Amino acid sequence: MAKKRVFFLKIALPLLLVLLISFPLQSVQLLDIAISGTAGETRISVSFDQSINYTEFTMENKLIFDLLETSSGLDANKFEDLNRGGVSSITLIPFYTANLLRLTFGLTNSVTYTASSEDNKLHISFPNPVGKSFEPWNASDQEITPSSLGYEETYEVPGMISLDLEDADIKTILRAMAHYGGKNVVAGEEVKGSITMKLSNVTWKQAFDVIVKTAGFSYREEENIIRVAKGSTFDKERESSELAQPIVHRVYKLSFAEPKEVKKNVDKLISRKGKVEVDDRTNSLIISDIESRHLDIKALLDILDAPNPQVDIEIRVVDIDYDFGRKLGISWSVTNLRSRRINIEGSVTHTTPIAGVTDIAIGSIRNFARISADLDLYEKEGKTKTIANPRITALNNREAEILGGKKFPVYVLDQAGNATTRYYEVGTKLKVTPHINSANEITMDIEAELSNVDPTSLIITSTEAKTRQLVKDGETVVLGGFIREEVQYSEEGVPILRSIPLIGFLFKSMEKRTTKREVLIFLTPHIIKYY
């Protein structure tokens, strides 16, 4: 049988213990924590036996201070249900490997605070979020309870270790890891097998994590005990625990979101015994589930039930002389354009194209006010004509539709031979879906359709464009390329004589003039801000 090599420690455990006892890492001791103040201000004072160095940061509703080279002189490491000036809890966690003591203040609300150290004390102050006066509190005066003792750094053990394992029994390895780390490790009956690996200079937590996961198991910490078992075992335990908990009924009234849409996300959070119902009359969700799931659901609804930004879209459809349109200063580009032949962003498609229409062009304008003034000026000269100038407000990520045109009736026979009237829409049809990003830029999904009907044949011709454009707030997108040719005839000649039958053509001349006209669609989005 192959010789099994059990993992060895880079630093021998007896020597490590001697070093820790002889040369303690911490040199500063925390003596006491006091909370005082008024209805307007909360003051926290932390006392030490000498000057202190620290780093600080916030996380959710917590103030966290990492006290460097510090140990706690208090008998308790955990204080809960304080209710003093917005301070709900205090925890002290020693991190031996980093040689620091983490001091965490749990708050009822996030606050803006100030912190300074003076005369072996750390002073912290912030506005009292509760707004009520309270009695002073000292950590050293508190009664010691079992729940306030033994709060240590999770899975962290001083020093680095190395492992060299070959076909080693997983239970033997877990017992050895528990002995070295000073942890209570319990392995389930299903924890079996062997493992081969080699690790060098890793922490106890890293080694334990790799060993358990490589063997195909999971682990969970329950108070000061680490349990190792299959993931399915923990899932069954959690499910059994939830089935044993009582059902709590709550009504969540939504202010902005639609209950039917939110329900799809809430359904993913409910337990097996949970139930979600929609009440459209009160715009509410009626949820029956266990308390722990209610906490998750409430956190989700706080995010989803938020006001949806709106975008005001100003649209101007202009019929313009083709040559004049080229001089407007529009930056024409195929950027953000996609066709079936070119694989780039956006898209343009044609269906039964209008005679004379060329490829759709897409452009952008940064100063639409100047071009709008030019359009108004030249409209008086007949070079431009505004076909439609609507405005519409669209919700973020919601489609808005505009039709500028007309409906005309067509008389047809149904299957029974009865005469019926069917209406068709022609003109300019726009569908716009705005998407606002974190930089207050707007991505617009645009579908434009320009259609016309031949009054004699009743044949409808149309051109459709589909694109996605990213613009800044107030910037204008232009869709062009809807071009048609107009033929005009003019006659000049001698009065009266040019009207004589048969010989009148001798006294007149005919002139044929072909002009090109283009329809431009301007879209200018504005984000509606709430102050």
Side-chain angles (χ1 to χ4, degrees):
M1 186 177 70
K3 182 180 180 181
K4 296 183 179 179
R5 289 178 291 174
V6 184
F7 77 100
F8 61 89
L9 305 179
K10 185 177 181 181
I11 302 176
L13 181 59
L15 178 60
L16 180 62
L17 293 176
V18 171
L19 290 175
L20 290 176
I21 295 173
S22 303
F23 304 99
L25 295 175
Q26 295 89 358
S27 59
V28 182
Q29 189 175 57
L30 185 150
L31 302 178
D32 200 359
I33 304 173
I35 305 176
S36 61
T38 63
E41 183 185 36
T42 299
R43 295 184 294 272
I44 302 174
S45 179
V46 187
S47 304
F48 305 91
D49 62 352
Q50 54 184 294
S51 60
I52 181 69
N53 292 322
Y54 65 91
T55 61
E56 60 187 278
F57 60 95
T58 61
M59 184 174 64
E60 296 179 349
N61 293 341
K62 294 180 180 179
L63 298 182
I64 302 175
F65 292 82
D66 283 344
L67 311 174
L68 307 181
E69 299 181 355
T70 303
S71 63
S72 175
L74 297 173
D75 294 329
N77 290 332
K78 190 175 182 181
F79 305 93
E80 295 181 328
D81 301 326
L82 301 184
N83 298 323
R84 296 292 199 287
V87 181
S88 58
S89 64
I90 298 176
T91 58
L92 294 163
I93 307 176
F95 282 77
Y96 302 110
T97 53
N99 193 18
L100 61 85
L101 178 68
R102 174 162 292 176
L103 173 60
T104 302
F105 297 96
L107 307 177
T108 57
N109 302 91
S110 59
V111 297
T112 302
Y113 71 97
T114 59
S116 62
S117 59
E118 182 181 3
D119 298 332
N120 299 343
K121 288 187 178 182
L122 172 62
H123 300 284
I124 307 165
S125 62
F126 51 84
N128 187 345
V130 180
K132 296 181 180 179
S133 58
F134 58 92
E135 296 182 0
W137 180 91
N138 284 79
S140 58
D141 297 336
Q142 303 307 305
E143 181 181 355
I144 306 304
T145 62
S147 62
S148 65
L149 296 175
Y151 202 174
E152 298 181 355
E153 177 186 10
T154 305
Y155 302 133
E156 291 295 337
V157 178
M160 308 295 284
I161 64 174
S162 297
L163 304 175
D164 191 358
L165 310 175
E166 181 179 344
D167 198 25
D169 180 69
I170 181 64
K171 285 190 175 181
T172 302
I173 299 303
L174 291 177
R175 283 197 298 269
M177 290 291 291
H179 177 73
Y180 171 67
K183 301 290 184 179
N184 298 315
V185 179
V186 178
E189 294 182 357
E190 68 271 29
V191 179
K192 300 176 182 178
S194 59
I195 187 172
T196 300
M197 66 170 54
K198 184 175 182 178
L199 300 175
S200 178
N201 294 330
V202 297
T203 64
W204 185 92
K205 178 182 177 182
Q206 290 174 325
F208 187 85
D209 186 74
V210 170
I211 291 171
V212 173
K213 292 184 178 179
T214 302
F217 300 103
S218 300
Y219 63 92
R220 180 180 297 175
E221 183 184 21
E222 299 174 355
E223 295 182 355
N224 62 339
I225 298 176
I226 302 175
R227 294 181 54 213
V228 181
K230 288 184 177 180
S232 58
T233 300
F234 293 125
D235 292 338
K236 291 179 181 178
E237 290 179 357
R238 177 181 55 81
E239 188 174 318
S240 299
S241 175
E242 290 180 346
L243 292 174
Q245 297 180 39
I247 291 293
V248 179
H249 306 279
R250 288 202 178 104
V251 177
Y252 296 88
K253 187 171 184 179
L254 306 181
S255 301
F256 305 99
E258 294 184 9
K260 291 182 179 179
E261 294 183 354
V262 175
K263 182 179 181 296
K264 301 175 183 178
N265 297 302
V266 174
D267 285 338
K268 301 175 183 178
L269 297 181
I270 64 172
S271 64
R272 287 183 56 186
K273 59 192 301 186
K275 185 178 180 181
V276 182
E277 296 181 354
V278 174
D279 185 56
D280 292 324
R281 185 180 64 85
T282 59
N283 204 57
S284 303
L285 289 174
I286 304 173
I287 302 177
S288 303
D289 212 331
I290 61 177
E291 181 63 31
S292 60
R293 294 302 178 99
H294 275 289
L295 297 177
D296 296 336
I297 292 170
K298 185 180 184 305
L300 175 66
L301 293 179
D302 289 341
I303 298 173
L304 297 181
D305 188 28
N308 198 4
Q310 299 185 79
V311 179
D312 179 63
I313 305 174
E314 181 180 358
I315 302 169
R316 185 165 183 174
V317 184
V318 179
D319 181 66
I320 191 171
D321 180 82
Y322 178 80
D323 295 328
F324 175 71
R326 302 297 104 178
K327 302 176 183 179
L328 283 176
I330 301 172
S331 176
W332 297 103
S333 170
V334 294
T335 303
N336 294 339
L337 178 67
R338 174 182 294 170
S339 68
R340 295 180 180 177
R341 295 170 294 177
I342 306 174
N343 187 23
I344 51 182
E345 292 185 9
S347 66
V348 173
T349 58
H350 294 266
T351 62
T352 317
I354 301 174
V357 172
T358 60
D359 289 338
I360 303 301
I362 300 170
S364 62
I365 300 173
R366 294 188 180 276
N367 187 6
F368 181 63
R370 180 185 62 80
I371 293 182
S372 180
D374 291 342
L375 294 175
D376 294 337
L377 177 62
Y378 287 103
E379 187 165 353
K380 298 178 181 178
E381 300 180 7
K383 294 183 179 180
T384 66
K385 180 182 178 182
T386 300
I387 300 175
N389 189 20
R391 297 183 71 136
I392 191 170
T393 300
L395 284 173
N396 187 34
N397 302 317
R398 296 292 184 89
E399 183 182 274
E401 183 175 344
I402 299 174
L403 173 65
K406 59 183 178 181
K407 294 182 180 181
F408 68 94
V410 176
Y411 300 99
V412 296
L413 298 178
D414 60 15
Q415 294 180 351
N418 301 319
T420 60
T421 303
R422 182 177 299 176
Y423 288 89
Y424 294 87
E425 298 176 345
V426 292
T428 304
K429 188 175 183 180
L430 288 173
K431 293 182 179 179
V432 183
T433 305
H435 309 278
I436 304 173
N437 63 23
S438 58
N440 280 336
E441 296 174 332
I442 306 168
T443 300
M444 291 197 298
D445 291 322
I446 306 170
E447 295 183 30
E449 178 184 346
L450 185 64
S451 57
N452 197 6
V453 60
D454 188 334
T456 56
S457 62
L458 296 181
I459 295 177
I460 300 176
T461 57
S462 65
T463 296
E464 297 178 0
K466 185 177 181 181
T467 182
R468 167 172 284 192
Q469 289 289 310
L470 175 64
V471 296
K472 296 181 179 179
D473 187 5
E475 202 170 66
T476 300
V477 175
V478 189
L479 272 68
F482 302 96
I483 303 171
R484 70 182 185 278
E485 293 184 351
E486 292 184 352
V487 180
Q488 297 177 345
Y489 295 92
S490 61
E491 179 183 292
E492 294 182 357
V494 180
I496 301 175
L497 295 180
R498 68 179 181 180
S499 302
I500 299 175
L502 299 178
I503 63 172
F505 69 92
L506 297 174
F507 304 96
K508 64 182 178 181
S509 63
M510 300 291 295
E511 182 181 358
K512 177 182 177 181
R513 178 181 298 177
T514 303
T515 59
K516 295 174 68 175
R517 305 286 295 182
E518 181 178 12
V519 175
L520 298 180
I521 303 175
F522 301 86
L523 299 97
T524 307
H526 298 278
I527 300 175
I528 299 177
K529 299 180 174 63
Y530 300 93
Y531 298 98

